[in-house]
Amino acid sequence: MPGLQSEQSSPEPPQSIGTSFNDSLPSRALQIFQTPRNAFGLFRRYLSEKFPSHDPEKHIDLPDLSEDIPTEGGAPDDFYPYPNASSFLLGDWYWNGGIQKSRDSFRELLNIVGDPRFRPDDVRDTQWRKIDSKLGMNNFDQENTADEEWLDEDAGWKKTLVSISVPFAKRQTKKPGPRDFVVGDLYHRSLVSVIREKLASPHDSRHMHYEPFQLFWRRPDTRDDVRVHGELYTSPAFLSAQRELQESPGEPGCSLPRVVLALMFWSDATQLTSFGTAQLWPAYLCFGNESKYRRCKPNCHLFNHVAYFQSVSHFSLRIVQLPFIYAFQLPDGFKDFASKHMDGKKPSSKFMAHCRRELLHAQWDILLDDEFLEAYQHGIAFECRDGIMRRFYPRMLTYSADYKEKYVKCAFPGRSSFLTQMQNYPGRYP
């Protein structure tokens, strides 16, 4: 498989790192370890004097890199609330095959019951009414249980009030100065608790790369090395973070190996209905120390919900030098708040863009709390699956977002500067 070492041949001797890894970072004399080429002509270079004690790709095979086809022997939870695959296929045909059945629909039914894997005994005692009731259940429709669902201590969700400071200039009002506006509640989880949960998982930890490396390919008839890109733990950004960490002063009295824990964030507002204004703006977190092949497999469940951003009360369709763009506004009450303090004047587009930016940063300021900053600076000591204690340092390496957020800049000089600015698109929107 790509990136795997050839264990049968002896490794090449370590060599001085020189400028092999990154010319942009000053460094002291460090060593690299290079593995021999495997059957595909691939080899690795580690920022280390020896091969890592933990190699997630050592026993990898094809099923680990592709989505498995469900079989009749699948776990019951794979088809919940249906008890097995046969019941699930019939239920899917009934609900998603349309109200009026056609010959094509009848042919699909024949294909289901005629499949060798279909077992009539599995559907004979299926409680269809109870399953339909579970499919139609929605706990969020019940006001009394909504907060209990969110604030479940076992799930780790918290609710924090979000407010922003709105500046009013002299040209806007007779009483200039900042005013606080309460936007609403941010539902979120502790990033450090998600990290600890990840490191403690025996199944996930065996797939974690604790040391990044450069991956190269070389043809048998040449000495030219071709850099191979494809994983975050082989990217220049990860290697740069690793080298910077290794060259920085360690914790006093601590000799544990230091590991970069690559955080990958995603967020995108989602409209929940075709008609109406129901929507969510979820934020997800996963870890770049794992292979992209596992992240792309839904049954691995590697995306962690960490927040539901407080954003808007409706979608607003605008034209901004591009075809139709969905831009997200502050709650309707904000415009009334702004007009009140502007002596009835309408807020400008630049003013609104600034406040939207402040709202997003205010919520990230909550997520990047003191506990996370402590872990960022001093690391989290944790005993790994291989029995070795390591100190993990979280680093935000990617933030993937839609148009609304794609100009977010990430930096780490201080608490309020993790997300330093959201540049405005020429004209109006961030």
Side-chain angles (χ1 to χ4, degrees):
M1 303 311 301
L4 299 184
Q5 64 157 337
S6 175
E7 298 182 357
Q8 289 75 19
S9 54
S10 58
E12 299 177 8
Q15 51 184 300
S16 174
I17 188 170
T19 58
S20 299
F21 265 70
N22 194 334
D23 294 334
S24 63
L25 287 176
S27 66
R28 59 177 183 266
L30 298 176
Q31 297 292 320
I32 65 172
F33 179 85
Q34 180 170 302
T35 65
R37 290 187 302 147
N38 64 8
F40 301 97
L42 297 169
F43 61 94
R44 307 177 187 177
R45 287 179 185 166
Y46 285 92
L47 185 61
S48 174
E49 297 181 356
K50 60 182 180 179
F51 192 80
S53 60
H54 173 69
D55 181 18
E57 299 181 11
K58 185 176 181 180
H59 303 293
I60 198 170
D61 53 19
L62 186 59
D64 294 323
L65 305 179
S66 61
E67 189 66 47
D68 294 331
I69 300 176
T71 63
E72 60 183 6
D77 290 344
D78 293 341
F79 309 102
Y80 182 83
Y82 295 94
N84 48 61
S86 298
S87 299
F88 171 78
L89 292 174
L90 284 181
D92 178 66
W93 171 84
Y94 177 77
W95 287 111
N96 298 321
I99 299 177
Q100 295 181 350
K101 301 304 179 184
S102 61
R103 289 190 177 184
D104 290 338
S105 178
F106 181 67
R107 192 177 298 111
E108 292 177 1
L109 176 61
L110 293 179
N111 292 334
I112 293 175
V113 298
D115 192 295
R117 292 174 295 181
F118 183 82
R119 300 177 58 181
D121 292 341
D122 287 347
V123 302
R124 183 171 292 111
D125 298 324
T126 300
Q127 300 179 358
W128 299 103
R129 289 183 179 274
K130 184 177 294 186
I131 292 175
D132 293 344
S133 177
K134 290 182 179 179
L135 290 174
M137 188 179 299
N138 186 356
N139 291 334
F140 292 98
D141 291 336
Q142 305 174 16
E143 295 183 1
N144 295 334
T145 61
D147 281 345
E148 295 178 4
E149 176 76 15
W150 281 110
L151 303 180
D152 182 6
E153 294 183 359
D154 294 335
W157 286 97
K158 305 176 182 178
K159 183 173 70 172
T160 304
L161 196 65
V162 181
S163 63
I164 59 175
S165 179
V166 182
F168 294 98
K170 290 183 179 180
R171 65 178 182 275
Q172 297 173 324
T173 178
K174 297 178 181 179
K175 298 180 179 180
R179 302 285 190 279
D180 290 335
F181 177 76
V182 178
V183 179
D185 295 317
L186 171 67
Y187 292 97
H188 63 100
R189 298 176 63 193
S190 166
L191 296 181
V192 173
S193 68
V194 175
I195 291 174
R196 290 186 177 276
E197 181 180 307
K198 182 69 175 181
L199 297 177
S201 171
H203 179 70
D204 291 340
S205 61
R206 62 190 292 264
H207 297 285
M208 298 282 285
H209 286 263
Y210 299 137
E211 296 188 34
F213 56 87
Q214 289 178 326
L215 184 62
F216 290 92
W217 174 75
R218 183 192 302 164
R219 292 176 52 182
D221 57 345
T222 181
R223 297 291 297 176
D224 296 332
D225 299 335
V226 179
R227 183 74 180 272
V228 179
H229 299 276
E231 296 283 3
L232 188 64
Y233 49 78
T234 65
S235 67
F238 201 130
L239 293 164
S240 177
Q242 172 76 358
R243 183 169 179 177
E244 184 178 359
L245 175 62
Q246 300 304 324
E247 293 184 340
S248 63
E251 293 298 305
C254 179
S255 59
L256 298 179
R258 292 183 288 174
V259 180
V260 170
L261 193 64
L263 307 184
M264 306 177 71
F265 288 95
W266 279 264
S267 66
D268 185 14
T270 304
Q271 190 170 6
L272 301 179
T273 60
S274 299
F275 302 95
T277 61
Q279 60 193 288
L280 289 174
W281 189 357
Y284 307 92
L285 166 64
C286 68
F287 299 86
N289 301 67
E290 293 179 291
S291 172
K292 64 182 180 182
Y293 295 104
R294 281 180 47 77
R295 292 199 301 272
C296 291
K297 295 177 64 174
N299 61 2
C300 288
H301 307 293
L302 297 185
F303 283 75
N304 301 275
H305 282 82
V306 294
Y308 285 91
F309 289 130
Q310 177 70 236
S311 58
V312 298
S313 58
H314 65 281
F315 279 96
S316 179
L317 190 62
R318 305 288 181 88
I319 301 178
V320 191
Q321 298 186 7
L322 287 172
F324 300 96
I325 301 261
Y326 282 106
F328 297 95
Q329 309 297 315
L330 284 153
D332 292 333
F334 177 79
K335 290 186 178 181
D336 297 335
F337 167 82
S339 297
K340 176 183 177 181
H341 290 86
M342 289 183 175
D343 302 329
K345 298 178 183 178
K346 182 180 179 181
S348 66
S349 59
K350 291 184 178 180
F351 176 84
M352 294 296 293
H354 168 80
C355 293
R356 287 194 297 270
R357 178 172 58 244
E358 291 299 304
L359 173 56
L360 182 60
H361 286 199
Q363 295 177 91
W364 271 106
D365 190 57
I366 295 173
L367 289 175
L368 305 176
D369 54 17
D370 292 337
E371 186 182 23
F372 179 83
L373 297 184
E374 177 74 14
Y376 181 90
Q377 183 176 0
H378 301 288
I380 302 174
F382 211 90
E383 183 176 356
C384 302
R385 186 173 180 270
D386 57 4
I388 299 178
M389 286 287 296
R390 294 180 174 88
R391 188 172 289 274
F392 292 87
Y393 291 79
R395 295 292 185 266
M396 296 173 63
L397 292 193
T398 68
Y399 189 132
S400 303
D402 203 351
Y403 173 83
K404 166 68 176 69
E405 310 156 74
K406 72 178 183 179
Y407 290 106
V408 172
K409 301 294 185 180
C410 295
F412 302 96
R415 179 191 184 102
S416 62
S417 302
F418 272 76
L419 302 174
T420 55
Q421 61 178 347
M422 186 181 291
Q423 298 176 351
N424 292 345
Y425 188 84
R428 302 180 184 180
Y429 299 107

